[in-house]
Amino acid sequence: MVKERARILVVGGGYVGMYTALRLQQKLKRELRQGEAGITVVTPDPYMTYQPFLPEAAAGNISPRHVVVPLRRVLDQCHIIIGEATAIDHAKRTATLTTLATEEEGTGAQQLSYDELVLAPGSISRTLPIPGLADHGVGFKTVEEAIGLRNHVIEQMDIASSTRDPAIRDAALTFVFVGGGYAGVEALGELEDMARYAARYYHNIKPEDMKWILVEASDRILPEVGEEMGRYTVTELRRRNIQVLLRTRLESCEDRIAVLDDGQRFPTRTVVWTAGVKSHPILAATDLPLNGRGRLKATAELTIEGTTHAWAAGDAAAVPDITADEPGKECAPNAQHALRQAKVLGDNIAHSLRGEPLETYAHKYAGSVASLGLHKGVAHVYGRKLKGYPAWFMHRVYHLSRVPTFNRKARVLAEWTLSGLFKREIVSLGSLEHPRAEFELAAGGKPSDDPKGST
């Protein structure tokens, strides 16, 4: 039984943040009802993005709104604050927040006190100081980026179809992806598949007119599915006329020209950066212990090493993998571990508040699945290797089982069923990024560069 009111602060509304808060809602149902506990979730967005579905959303197989889960609906017993934690003083049990209200009011940051802290801010894209990347590159970590990239690819096909300048046409039909991990390979595979289908509706564009290029600094791609399946993926992509350049780095993308370290130059209007992630900046603005890579030092019970009343999991935490044969190995920062860690994390916070012993997180990595486009995929699960349609089907079944809420499962399944019966949608809605542009012109103003259309 909780002896006094416990104020639980969850920083982050991603996998770990949402699932931990959801677990706490279930485990502390009576305490929340009687006012003996309170849960506050601080998150930049009012939704959780199920990132494994981003490539399919970009390809138009899933509606963007079905890739996200509204937090206020799922976490109906929690207080949701749309904002960001900019600093945490755990010694004083206070967090410094900036919210939409503080920005509008110009009042600066606000202080929020807590008793138990869950740090689950996730990670951010890891970029390098490459000339032109900030100006011309696009990431693939959010639903906005995924849909923006889909609109962009179709828009480039429209440009290529309508221009008479061969240089502009060539640049418009060249798509460079940097990074051979899950995000890069799946995004490339799905978008190439979508663009190949869309080409049939253009009178002067053929699939072979497009150049799709994957740049990877190491000697292999998709290391999560094993070396053999990684080699198969390279073969499969090259069979689709996709250039896979291993042991190669992007040196510059200034002036819309992708320059590689082997001397190759590709005029292009599309550079997609998916070359890894790094720790969220909030971790460095705390008084909590970090490892050499900037992640929180966590224990197998998902507490933060050397502290009390502080918890972490997911991308932000270096959690020891007690199932590994080699000592000192950490759990991989992926969704498979994050979802399971969140369950244990929520249980352990409830155990701690009630004075009960904590559970230890232990999960032996089951394997990985990856989609390479419609009906194409690779998988390495429990030692079994699959490729082609069986792997693609397993990819869909697995992620359908993992996407949260029955509502989302039903909607995604319905969309997959309908997409199998009808033709793909190949419409670009790029104007959504500048919704007020037309009205501003009509009103005699100048179109705003702000994608939200604010003045």
Side-chain angles (χ1 to χ4, degrees):
M1 180 178 178
V2 179
K3 296 181 180 179
E4 57 185 28
R5 177 175 171 79
R7 299 167 299 175
I8 304 169
L9 173 62
V10 179
V11 177
Y15 292 117
V16 175
M18 190 198 80
Y19 278 104
T20 299
L22 186 60
R23 191 72 173 178
L24 286 169
Q25 279 189 171
Q26 298 167 351
K27 291 293 181 178
L28 301 177
K29 190 178 295 184
R30 185 186 63 80
E31 289 85 349
L32 290 169
R33 187 172 59 249
Q34 296 180 358
E36 296 175 358
I39 306 170
T40 299
V41 179
V42 178
T43 172
D45 301 303
Y47 52 81
M48 186 275 272
T49 302
Y50 191 72
Q51 291 183 337
F53 279 161
L54 288 183
E56 291 212 51
N61 297 330
I62 301 176
S63 174
R65 66 184 182 280
H66 299 155
V67 176
V68 299
V69 179
L71 294 178
R72 296 189 191 278
R73 179 188 297 175
V74 176
L75 305 177
D76 56 344
Q77 301 299 309
C78 300
H79 177 209
I80 309 295
I81 297 177
I82 305 304
E84 293 193 67
T86 56
I88 293 174
D89 188 339
H90 189 63
K92 296 181 179 179
R93 303 291 193 274
T94 60
T96 303
L97 311 179
T98 58
T99 67
L100 295 176
T102 59
E103 292 175 4
E104 288 290 329
E105 295 166 358
T107 55
Q110 66 182 54
Q111 300 291 317
L112 183 66
S113 300
Y114 62 84
D115 299 306
E116 301 285 338
L117 172 68
V118 177
L119 260 179
S123 56
I124 63 173
S125 296
R126 176 177 61 86
T127 58
L128 299 174
I130 295 174
L133 183 61
D135 297 322
H136 304 299
V138 61
F140 198 80
K141 195 167 172 59
T142 67
V143 67
E144 293 86 357
E145 288 174 330
I147 304 312
L149 184 56
R150 167 188 168 80
N151 291 332
H152 175 80
V153 168
I154 296 176
E155 185 180 84
Q156 296 313 302
M157 296 179 72
D158 290 336
I159 290 173
S161 176
S162 57
T163 184
R164 294 183 179 180
D165 188 325
I168 293 178
R169 176 185 168 91
D170 183 55
L173 294 180
T174 300
F175 307 95
V176 178
F177 287 68
V178 183
Y182 271 125
V185 173
E186 290 195 326
L188 171 59
E190 292 284 357
L191 284 165
E192 189 274 341
D193 202 47
M194 182 269 292
R196 178 182 293 272
Y197 176 86
R200 68 181 65 182
Y201 297 104
Y202 290 83
H203 71 283
N204 58 351
I205 295 180
K206 299 177 182 177
E208 51 268 29
D209 294 336
M210 294 182 280
K211 294 179 186 174
W212 296 83
I213 302 161
L214 178 64
V215 179
E216 168 55 39
S218 69
D219 61 353
R220 58 192 291 197
I221 64 174
L222 288 182
E224 298 88 352
V225 299
E227 188 174 349
E228 182 183 337
M229 290 294 96
R231 287 197 301 269
Y232 165 80
T233 303
V234 171
T235 302
E236 170 65 20
L237 294 178
R238 285 174 174 167
R239 189 179 292 124
R240 290 158 60 179
N241 291 323
I242 297 172
Q243 296 184 50
V244 181
L245 306 177
L246 303 177
R247 300 187 185 90
T248 308
R249 297 177 185 273
L250 177 70
E251 286 198 337
S252 170
C253 55
E254 283 186 307
D255 302 322
R256 296 193 178 276
I257 299 176
V259 181
L260 308 183
D261 62 354
D262 61 0
Q264 294 189 76
R265 298 166 64 89
F266 297 98
T268 178
R269 299 169 61 88
T270 309
V271 175
V272 184
W273 182 268
T274 61
V277 296
K278 64 180 181 181
S279 299
H280 195 283
I282 181 59
L283 302 185
T286 72
D287 54 352
L288 298 168
L290 306 178
N291 68 4
R293 288 177 295 170
R295 299 169 72 194
L296 293 161
K297 293 182 179 179
T299 68
E301 291 77 26
L302 304 179
T303 61
I304 297 179
E305 209 173 85
T307 64
T308 57
H309 308 290
W311 314 77
D315 289 1
V319 179
D321 186 355
I322 63 174
T323 67
D325 298 329
E326 50 188 290
K329 188 175 181 181
E330 299 170 357
C331 294
N334 57 35
Q336 186 177 144
H337 281 299
L339 297 179
R340 290 171 171 82
Q341 287 172 1
K343 179 181 177 182
V344 176
L345 180 50
D347 289 346
N348 277 351
I349 293 174
H351 291 324
S352 175
L353 294 176
R354 293 166 178 159
E356 300 168 354
L358 304 183
E359 302 174 25
T360 299
Y361 175 74
H363 170 66
K364 195 165 184 64
Y365 193 57
S368 301
V369 291
S371 170
L372 305 177
L374 194 62
H375 302 158
K376 297 176 280 289
V378 290
H380 189 185
V381 181
Y382 294 116
R384 298 193 63 183
K385 299 167 186 174
L386 299 173
K387 55 190 177 183
Y389 185 89
W392 171 84
F393 184 75
M394 178 178 285
H395 174 272
R396 283 202 161 182
V397 171
Y398 174 77
H399 286 299
L400 183 65
S401 71
R402 294 301 170 185
V403 68
T405 78
F406 176 78
N407 179 300
R408 283 297 176 272
K409 294 181 197 297
R411 290 177 182 272
V412 169
L413 183 58
E415 287 201 307
W416 280 343
T417 303
L418 291 173
S419 66
L421 298 174
F422 301 101
K423 295 180 179 180
R424 284 179 186 251
E425 294 290 346
I426 57 166
V427 177
S428 169
L429 296 176
S431 58
L432 288 176
E433 298 171 35
H434 304 277
R436 296 189 63 241
E438 184 177 347
F439 180 78
E440 286 177 341
L441 280 174
K446 214 176 171 184
S448 171
D449 291 331
D450 183 358
K452 294 181 181 179
S454 58
T455 55

